Amino acid sequence: MYKKKRSITIQDVAQTAGVSVSTVSRVLNGKVDVARETQDRINGVIEDLGYTSNLAARSMRSQKKNLIGLIMPDIAYPFAIEVMKGVNRAIAESEFDLLVYTTGDVRKSGRASAEQKYVSLLTHSISDGVIIVAPVVAEFNSDEPIVSIDPVMSNPSYPSIHATNYQGAIDAMEYLFSLGHKRIGYIGGRLELESANRRLLGYQDSLAKAGIPIDQELIKSGDYTTVSGITCARQLLEQSNRPTAIFASNDQSAMGVFQVAEEMGLRIPEDLSLIGFDNIPESKYLGLTTVDQFIFEMGYTATQMLIKLINDIPLDDQTYRMQTSLVIRSSCRKIGG
Amino acid sequence: MYKKKRSITIQDVAQTAGVSVSTVSRVLNGKVDVARETQDRINGVIEDLGYTSNLAARSMRSQKKNLIGLIMPDIAYPFAIEVMKGVNRAIAESEFDLLVYTTGDVRKSGRASAEQKYVSLLTHSISDGVIIVAPVVAEFNSDEPIVSIDPVMSNPSYPSIHATNYQGAIDAMEYLFSLGHKRIGYIGGRLELESANRRLLGYQDSLAKAGIPIDQELIKSGDYTTVSGITCARQLLEQSNRPTAIFASNDQSAMGVFQVAEEMGLRIPEDLSLIGFDNIPESKYLGLTTVDQFIFEMGYTATQMLIKLINDIPLDDQTYRMQTSLVIRSSCRKIGG
DNA sequence: GTGAAAGCGCTAACAT
DNA sequence: ATGTTAGCGCTTTCAC
């Protein structure tokens, strides 16, 4: 395991400075009751030796670490990146630093038991609190604050940020109605996810409210991948009475629609309105409308919540279980009249 | 600071299981010399109590943590994200997990002294090795392997991945030559950066090699922002004898060119070939050609290098200071004949 | 097979 | 103003 050239400890500093470890610890922690010249000498030695404190040892003893943990199974997909950006912003504005923990792959994470492991890993020491993304368990054994983003459970025991799945779908649909659309295709998926069900429900309820009968031919279900998005899009667009708009409930599905439309020579948004959930950076080049901004905001808000908890500021009920707000970024076209 | 409900320790487990801490530690670490039934009992208690070990305490004693650190000042800009994706992939394929450390903002990081702090923070304990992005110091005081990505120093004491700045510029230029371009504008910037100089040199050398005299009117320098890109692009495109192609040495500059072209009614790539360094996800929608793929690869390769070092596999000289390969993603147009 | 005890590097009383 | 000491939770000899 690599050449273990024992690293410089507080002991070494104390010894070469000719003082005790506690004195060194004092200057390290900015305590005032140390003689000016002793401070200078110690700081000099620290500089010379290139000493830096051992996080592990330190966090075992002290409380405040000024470090927040973020746990995600994978940091390479758009949702994760957007969350990280939000957290990053809140972190930048704070006194805290951030530690993102990932296994790089959902499959490696294993779920449930693994989740608890990751939480403890950061929580038990190291950090002042953690944010966990899309956790499956309802409760964590932790001695520190936890905030979750888009938990799978609808009623977890920890504070959580829930995507506005239902309202987002309603908003998207009403936006399409306002432009005159009546035949609106829906591409859903991953019905095991709470969020997927909420979106579908929003779609259905808004149709009901608008007095438009639900046409099962307009509801297709995939698995949130581009490939399945393509399949669903074909099924929708090859119908003789094809929809004038498609509501794709996630970004990958929307990409699928985009590809099929291109194949079929349909321009978006001129010939087909496409509205997607989630944030796709490319959307503005694609003529795609999105129900947007909320992923970033989820990360940002979660971080602020966590910092409040760390600083012992209680959350009110409304904040405790929070819905994010929505922005519709628009480029759909009016049709009909 | 939050209700410190003391967390469950190895002591608690030992006590309720009626054994000593060392026995618990043994089963925890999969040592074989523990009676079958004792193991089961202890595992039962661990399950019941929901015990998980304290990372800090553990890493103070043991060697292998199966954890790699990645240090970046900010995780919200395209370069950082691309690096993370690469690291993420390599991590996913390995037995290691990843800990990304960030302050969220370059300004908070401070540089130099701060860098050493972050390295030690992860290195001294916690992780088995770290990757540091764009470090300014040439040497780190660390007891563990370090690999750097795109270091500011050209000859750091640690293994490093250098962007193929010079060769990338040459490739880009030769690609443009092959399409018949002769008047090629250049937008550079940040001359304090090694990478910027290498790119400019590549531009100049390739012109020389092609026997095309260098026209200072075609070389503009900004600061790698979109705003300065716009200024430079105007200066280039408002010339009476304007260039048929522009080589923008970074992504933000390229965005600037794109905007100016739009203003002036120039289509890319039909009326103006635009080739950019670095990876812009949007480029494919913009008709932009890019010297590409290498950022992801930098992260990926760095991680593999680091894992080798951790496992005591020496790096050969060539690997020790590595250049990344390039891909030109093309959409430029042939001109002239 | 299991326990006792030492100690990793550090901080926080408690002394002086 | 500084040193002494007792642990934090864990792993690791070294006994039994």
Side-chain angles (χ1 to χ4, degrees), chain B residues 101-310:
Chain B
Y101 181 89
T102 184
T103 61
D105 188 340
V106 210
R107 285 160 305 192
K108 255 175 80 181
S109 315
R111 320 308 304 162
S113 69
E115 258 175 24
Q116 172 63 55
K117 188 188 114 191
Y118 306 142
V119 169
S120 314
L121 198 71
L122 293 179
T123 237
H124 263 339
S125 32
I126 307 302
S127 73
D128 300 304
V130 305
I131 298 170
I132 180 161
V133 175
V136 297
V137 307
E139 190 163 9
F140 287 106
N141 180 287
S142 160
D143 50 354
E144 281 167 15
I146 291 189
V147 171
S148 78
I149 291 179
D150 205 20
V152 172
M153 311 289 296
S154 52
N155 257 322
S157 67
Y158 35 77
S160 48
I161 311 262
H162 298 254
T164 33
N165 293 303
Y166 181 75
Q167 192 57 47
I170 300 268
D171 288 0
M173 293 298 285
E174 299 203 328
Y175 172 69
L176 291 173
F177 292 153
S178 76
L179 295 177
H181 293 276
K182 299 224 181 311
R183 276 189 72 71
I184 303 171
Y186 180 85
I187 301 179
R190 306 282 313 269
L191 290 176
E192 77 278 15
L193 296 181
E194 176 81 11
S195 59
N197 283 307
R198 303 283 301 162
R199 291 174 191 186
L200 178 55
L201 197 62
Y203 168 80
Q204 293 169 325
D205 284 2
S206 57
L207 282 174
K209 198 177 153 212
I212 300 173
I214 289 173
D215 180 349
Q216 291 300 337
E217 284 302 302
L218 291 179
I219 302 182
K220 300 297 170 189
S221 197
D223 62 3
Y224 277 7
T225 63
T226 302
V227 172
S228 85
I230 289 176
T231 311
C232 294
R234 284 225 179 84
Q235 293 173 1
L236 288 172
L237 294 175
E238 284 171 355
Q239 296 178 22
S240 52
N241 182 18
R242 65 171 166 77
T244 59
I246 289 181
F247 177 18
S249 76
N250 92 317
D251 54 356
Q252 302 297 318
S253 307
M255 290 305 293
V257 176
F258 186 75
Q259 279 185 235
V260 171
E262 200 164 39
E263 276 173 30
M264 298 179 63
L266 294 172
R267 289 162 306 161
I268 292 174
E270 290 81 356
D271 304 323
L272 175 71
S273 282
L274 177 57
I275 186 163
F277 228 95
D278 288 358
N279 181 306
I280 315 175
E282 290 89 348
S283 57
K284 64 175 158 181
Y285 304 110
L286 299 180
L288 172 65
T289 298
T290 56
V291 179
D292 202 17
Q293 290 297 343
F294 66 99
I295 305 181
F296 178 95
E297 197 184 315
M298 283 165 92
Y300 186 75
T301 310
T303 310
Q304 293 189 320
M305 280 168 61
L306 183 61
I307 292 177
K308 274 193 190 155
L309 289 174
I310 292 171

Side-chain angles (χ1 to χ4, degrees), chain A residues 15-62:
Chain A
Q15 202 159 350
T16 53
V19 293
S20 75
V21 287
S22 39
T23 307
V24 178
S25 175
R26 274 182 198 109
V27 324
L28 245 34
N29 293 282
K31 296 289 193 295
V32 280
D33 54 349
V34 180
R36 189 81 204 123
E37 54 173 337
T38 317
Q39 278 191 49
D40 293 344
R41 184 154 38 96
I42 294 179
N43 281 322
V45 174
I46 289 177
E47 188 84 4
D48 289 353
L49 266 46
Y51 165 83
T52 40
S53 77
N54 179 319
L55 212 215
R58 181 210 298 240
S59 35
M60 267 184 66
R61 303 295 294 135
S62 67

Side-chain angles (χ1 to χ4, degrees), chain B residues 20 22-23 26 33-35 38 60-61:
Chain B
S20 74
S22 34
T23 307
R26 276 183 195 106
D33 55 347
V34 179
T38 317
M60 266 184 67
R61 304 291 297 136

